[in-house]
Amino acid sequence: MAIEPVVYGASDRPPRGDYSRAGADYTCTQDYAAYTAQDHDTYARLFRRQAALLPGLACDEFIAALPSLGQHPDEVDRIPRFDEVNERLMRATGWQLVTVPGLIPEVPFFTLLSQRRFPVTDWIRSPAEFDYIVEPDVFHDLFGHVPLLFNPVFADYVQRYGQGGLKAHALGACEQLSRLYWYTIEFGLIRQHGGLRAYGAGILSSSGELRHAVQSPEPQRLPLQLERTMRTRYKIDTYQATYFEIDSFQQLFDLTEGDFTPLYERLRGWPELAADEVETAPPSPAPVSAPALAA
């Protein structure tokens, strides 16, 4: 069976990555020998620039875990080998990185997460895309996502999301659940003793969005509430206009405990919200106790 690439959102841009390398589960082997000196230099420069921006903007847990990728920011000179990161990650939380050629469909993606296997794209952007790239590349996936997989509570949340995703697919609710991923794992904010901080990979891997999300007065920032989050559309080609905040990773984990089926049923009767929409009167009061993600 031929493995087909995935198109990002509504884009008509040709998908990136060599999908002929992928197996039935969309995973493949990291083609480390294919990286050029320029590829390694691009990764190293991205890493050093982003690491220098983290103090005061990234959450404590992310900053503490960043060295687990295996290199000090001042000494980064190459793209990491996934198998070397896996030795440390398995000991920490039982997760493993698996290589994928690019974006993959929902069911394989959810399945991998449910198995504590995190898909990491292995190609890297060109120097011309240094400041912005639409699709996730190896820098976004490794720098943005992997450090927090060393945090036990957050790692458990990501697995629970994968388990819930398989159920959402069966219920036709993937669009609603994808917004929870977007506004937490990709673009989540957390309140800590030092103030507002970023934990979402899309923020942490972007020099511009990191400052915008944490410091700019322009976006609205709301407490994470499942109904509001799952009704809110998002942007893929500009900075986010809305962010959702949590107080702790334990809060995030606890919020997604149980069965989301009643929540999906309610959401089908409620209007969606634009990415920048300010809602003054929600359709109904928030539930006293939140439903949960995985049965």
Side-chain angles (χ1 to χ4, degrees):
M1 180 182 66
I3 298 298
E4 298 295 331
V6 175
V7 176
Y8 194 83
S11 173
D12 56 4
R13 177 176 178 168
R16 303 278 285 269
D18 179 9
Y19 286 77
S20 67
R21 301 162 50 214
D25 62 355
Y26 279 83
T27 68
C28 53
T29 301
Q30 184 185 21
D31 190 1
Y32 201 84
Y35 294 131
T36 65
Q38 178 177 274
D39 291 337
H40 289 296
D41 179 68
T42 297
Y43 179 89
R45 290 190 297 120
L46 284 165
F47 194 109
R48 289 193 294 267
R49 180 182 71 170
Q50 207 62 21
L53 296 175
L54 297 179
L57 298 176
C59 69
D60 297 340
E61 293 86 348
F62 183 87
I63 293 175
L66 191 60
S68 297
L69 293 183
Q71 296 171 310
H72 187 277
D74 295 337
E75 300 172 353
V76 172
D77 60 358
R78 63 178 176 85
I79 298 167
R81 294 181 182 271
F82 297 171
D83 56 355
E84 294 177 356
V85 178
N86 278 341
E87 293 178 6
R88 296 183 289 274
L89 186 57
M90 175 60 79
R91 290 196 301 269
T93 59
W95 274 80
Q96 292 281 272
L97 310 183
V98 292
T99 308
V100 291
L103 292 165
I104 65 176
E106 290 169 343
V107 171
F109 179 69
F110 294 144
T111 299
L112 290 172
L113 296 187
S114 72
Q115 298 168 345
R116 297 179 87 88
R117 302 167 72 206
F118 193 84
V120 177
T121 303
D122 65 347
W123 58 263
I124 191 164
R125 70 193 73 183
S126 68
E129 301 167 305
F130 190 82
D131 289 320
Y132 176 75
I133 187 169
V134 175
E135 308 95 328
D137 68 345
V138 66
F139 176 73
H140 167 84
D141 284 346
L142 269 179
F143 183 96
H145 283 287
V146 175
L148 283 182
L149 290 177
F150 284 85
N151 178 274
V153 179
F154 190 81
D156 285 348
Y157 168 68
V158 178
Q159 181 182 29
R160 176 173 283 178
Y161 182 89
Q163 294 166 342
L166 292 172
K167 184 172 183 179
H169 179 80
L171 295 172
C174 283
E175 179 62 30
Q176 288 78 18
L177 191 63
S178 71
R179 293 168 184 165
L180 181 63
Y181 186 95
W182 189 267
Y183 284 118
T184 60
I185 295 171
E186 287 289 357
F187 290 94
L189 297 176
I190 185 170
R191 287 279 173 189
Q192 297 192 317
H193 59 85
L196 190 64
R197 299 290 185 265
Y199 72 90
I203 304 174
L204 292 165
S205 62
S206 167
S207 61
E209 185 122 15
L210 184 56
R211 298 185 184 96
H212 174 80
V214 178
Q215 296 178 329
S216 173
E218 296 177 5
Q220 65 171 335
R221 301 176 182 89
L222 306 172
L224 181 68
Q225 195 272 338
L226 293 177
E227 285 90 343
R228 178 64 165 87
T229 304
M230 290 188 181
R231 292 170 57 222
T232 305
R233 296 192 292 271
Y234 53 79
K235 297 177 178 291
I236 66 169
D237 54 358
T238 65
Y239 297 156
Q240 301 305 302
T242 300
Y243 298 94
F244 293 90
E245 306 170 4
I246 59 173
D247 295 321
S248 68
F249 292 141
Q250 189 64 50
Q251 176 200 4
L252 183 62
F253 183 78
D254 292 345
L255 192 64
T256 54
E257 182 180 9
D259 181 9
F260 270 23
T261 303
L263 172 60
Y264 296 145
E265 292 174 352
R266 288 201 302 277
L267 290 173
R268 289 190 178 97
W270 291 357
E272 293 186 339
L273 300 172
D276 59 351
E277 189 166 341
V278 177
E279 185 180 42
T280 57
S284 64
V288 175
S289 60
L293 183 58

